[in-house]
Amino acid sequence: MELQKVLSERRSIRRYKNSSIPQNDIETIIQAAQEAPSWKNSQTARYHVVQTEKMVKKIKKEALPEFNAKNVADAPVLIVMSFVGSRSGFDKDKNPVNEVGEGWGFYDCGLATENLLLKATELGYGTLVMGIRDEVKLRELLNIPQDEIIVAVIGLGIQDIAPSKPERKPLLDVLKWY
């Protein structure tokens, strides 16, 4: 699929077909995420893929608020996005190199997430990025190390809805020329 088509067709999907996803497709999606740039090529993004039916149900029930669990009720895969803290934007002694500090880790994780979303779209899958989640419960259930900062949970599956494209702000409202 052409990049512009992927960019214009990607949507946040809140209804999925109850259908599994081949592991090689999931790996292809994660590999695309790994292609994202990162601070000094630090590659701190981490991908915790939840695909067993038992664990997917447990995460939905115990680590997502009811409205998010409903939005991904039939999604067969959840990907917990995190990054290793105090690396992106920090020197070797773990001192921030500018005022952004951990912001660089979030930025790098966002770049990886966007690649993940676009590759999923290209392969015909829908996604939903959820920032409201129980970080403590996710860490406990998936044994995520304390040095990783959990950013989001992404629902992944075959979409069972075709939402219209949300309106975007006019270019001149967001673009400044100097």
Side-chain angles (χ1 to χ4, degrees), residues 4 7-11 162-168:
Q4 188 56 48
L7 292 170
S8 64
E9 289 185 3
R10 196 222 57 81
R11 300 283 181 280
S164 58
K165 183 176 182 173
E167 190 172 322
R168 297 293 184 218

mmCIF file of all heavy atoms in Angstrom, residues 4 7-11 162-168:
data_model
loop_
_atom_site.group_PDB
_atom_site.id
_atom_site.type_symbol
_atom_site.label_atom_id
_atom_site.label_comp_id
_atom_site.label_asym_id
_atom_site.label_seq_id
_atom_site.Cartn_x
_atom_site.Cartn_y
_atom_site.Cartn_z
ATOM 1 N N GLN A 4 0.976 7.362 1.418
ATOM 2 C CA GLN A 4 -0.083 8.367 1.586
ATOM 3 C C GLN A 4 -1.428 7.710 1.854
ATOM 4 O O GLN A 4 -2.212 8.195 2.674
ATOM 5 C CB GLN A 4 -0.171 9.283 0.357
ATOM 6 C CG GLN A 4 -1.112 10.456 0.552
ATOM 7 C CD GLN A 4 -0.761 11.321 1.772
ATOM 8 O OE1 GLN A 4 0.381 11.690 1.973
ATOM 9 N NE2 GLN A 4 -1.752 11.623 2.600
ATOM 10 N N LEU A 7 -1.396 6.569 5.462
ATOM 11 C CA LEU A 7 -1.550 7.733 6.332
ATOM 12 C C LEU A 7 -3.004 8.204 6.385
ATOM 13 O O LEU A 7 -3.516 8.555 7.455
ATOM 14 C CB LEU A 7 -0.662 8.880 5.859
ATOM 15 C CG LEU A 7 0.845 8.696 6.000
ATOM 16 C CD1 LEU A 7 1.594 9.809 5.274
ATOM 17 C CD2 LEU A 7 1.252 8.643 7.459
ATOM 18 N N SER A 8 -3.673 8.218 5.252
ATOM 19 C CA SER A 8 -5.043 8.737 5.228
ATOM 20 C C SER A 8 -6.076 7.706 5.667
ATOM 21 O O SER A 8 -7.170 8.081 6.083
ATOM 22 C CB SER A 8 -5.386 9.285 3.841
ATOM 23 O OG SER A 8 -5.370 8.252 2.884
ATOM 24 N N GLU A 9 -5.758 6.423 5.627
ATOM 25 C CA GLU A 9 -6.725 5.387 6.001
ATOM 26 C C GLU A 9 -6.626 4.921 7.450
ATOM 27 O O GLU A 9 -7.549 4.308 7.963
ATOM 28 C CB GLU A 9 -6.600 4.174 5.069
ATOM 29 C CG GLU A 9 -7.101 4.467 3.673
ATOM 30 C CD GLU A 9 -7.103 3.242 2.776
ATOM 31 O OE1 GLU A 9 -6.765 2.135 3.246
ATOM 32 O OE2 GLU A 9 -7.443 3.411 1.601
ATOM 33 N N ARG A 10 -5.526 5.196 8.141
ATOM 34 C CA ARG A 10 -5.369 4.736 9.519
ATOM 35 C C ARG A 10 -6.404 5.414 10.417
ATOM 36 O O ARG A 10 -6.618 6.610 10.352
ATOM 37 C CB ARG A 10 -3.951 5.040 10.038
ATOM 38 C CG ARG A 10 -3.653 4.229 11.302
ATOM 39 C CD ARG A 10 -2.940 5.013 12.374
ATOM 40 N NE ARG A 10 -3.574 6.217 12.858
ATOM 41 C CZ ARG A 10 -4.556 6.267 13.770
ATOM 42 N NH1 ARG A 10 -5.035 5.181 14.301
ATOM 43 N NH2 ARG A 10 -5.047 7.416 14.166
ATOM 44 N N ARG A 11 -7.076 4.607 11.222
ATOM 45 C CA ARG A 11 -8.087 5.116 12.145
ATOM 46 C C ARG A 11 -7.919 4.442 13.502
ATOM 47 O O ARG A 11 -7.344 3.370 13.616
ATOM 48 C CB ARG A 11 -9.506 4.771 11.663
ATOM 49 C CG ARG A 11 -9.898 5.320 10.333
ATOM 50 C CD ARG A 11 -10.253 6.807 10.419
ATOM 51 N NE ARG A 11 -10.657 7.298 9.129
ATOM 52 C CZ ARG A 11 -9.823 7.639 8.156
ATOM 53 N NH1 ARG A 11 -8.539 7.545 8.332
ATOM 54 N NH2 ARG A 11 -10.266 8.092 7.014
ATOM 55 N N ALA A 162 -15.805 0.654 10.159
ATOM 56 C CA ALA A 162 -15.054 1.531 9.262
ATOM 57 C C ALA A 162 -15.402 2.977 9.585
ATOM 58 O O ALA A 162 -16.237 3.591 8.908
ATOM 59 C CB ALA A 162 -15.354 1.202 7.801
ATOM 60 N N PRO A 163 -14.779 3.522 10.627
ATOM 61 C CA PRO A 163 -15.113 4.903 11.002
ATOM 62 C C PRO A 163 -14.670 5.899 9.940
ATOM 63 O O PRO A 163 -13.694 5.673 9.223
ATOM 64 C CB PRO A 163 -14.347 5.116 12.302
ATOM 65 C CG PRO A 163 -13.269 4.096 12.308
ATOM 66 C CD PRO A 163 -13.729 2.962 11.459
ATOM 67 N N SER A 164 -15.403 6.976 9.852
ATOM 68 C CA SER A 164 -15.025 8.027 8.906
ATOM 69 C C SER A 164 -13.796 8.762 9.440
ATOM 70 O O SER A 164 -13.479 8.701 10.629
ATOM 71 C CB SER A 164 -16.180 9.003 8.689
ATOM 72 O OG SER A 164 -16.565 9.582 9.911
ATOM 73 N N LYS A 165 -13.151 9.451 8.543
ATOM 74 C CA LYS A 165 -11.942 10.184 8.917
ATOM 75 C C LYS A 165 -12.315 11.432 9.723
ATOM 76 O O LYS A 165 -13.124 12.240 9.281
ATOM 77 C CB LYS A 165 -11.163 10.592 7.667
ATOM 78 C CG LYS A 165 -9.863 11.293 7.966
ATOM 79 C CD LYS A 165 -9.091 11.597 6.699
ATOM 80 C CE LYS A 165 -7.771 12.258 7.043
ATOM 81 N NZ LYS A 165 -6.933 12.416 5.859
ATOM 82 N N PRO A 166 -11.719 11.573 10.910
ATOM 83 C CA PRO A 166 -11.976 12.792 11.673
ATOM 84 C C PRO A 166 -11.424 14.012 10.931
ATOM 85 O O PRO A 166 -10.397 13.922 10.257
ATOM 86 C CB PRO A 166 -11.213 12.581 12.979
ATOM 87 C CG PRO A 166 -10.859 11.139 13.025
ATOM 88 C CD PRO A 166 -10.824 10.669 11.606
ATOM 89 N N GLU A 167 -12.101 15.113 11.079
ATOM 90 C CA GLU A 167 -11.656 16.336 10.423
ATOM 91 C C GLU A 167 -10.320 16.786 11.013
ATOM 92 O O GLU A 167 -10.085 16.677 12.222
ATOM 93 C CB GLU A 167 -12.708 17.437 10.609
ATOM 94 C CG GLU A 167 -12.439 18.645 9.759
ATOM 95 C CD GLU A 167 -13.578 19.646 9.803
ATOM 96 O OE1 GLU A 167 -14.741 19.217 9.836
ATOM 97 O OE2 GLU A 167 -13.287 20.858 9.812
ATOM 98 N N ARG A 168 -9.444 17.253 10.181
ATOM 99 C CA ARG A 168 -8.154 17.783 10.603
ATOM 100 C C ARG A 168 -8.203 19.305 10.552
ATOM 101 O O ARG A 168 -8.922 19.901 9.751
ATOM 102 C CB ARG A 168 -7.019 17.284 9.693
ATOM 103 C CG ARG A 168 -6.832 15.779 9.724
ATOM 104 C CD ARG A 168 -6.349 15.362 11.085
ATOM 105 N NE ARG A 168 -6.063 13.938 11.140
ATOM 106 C CZ ARG A 168 -6.318 13.163 12.173
ATOM 107 N NH1 ARG A 168 -6.871 13.661 13.254
ATOM 108 N NH2 ARG A 168 -6.028 11.899 12.155
#
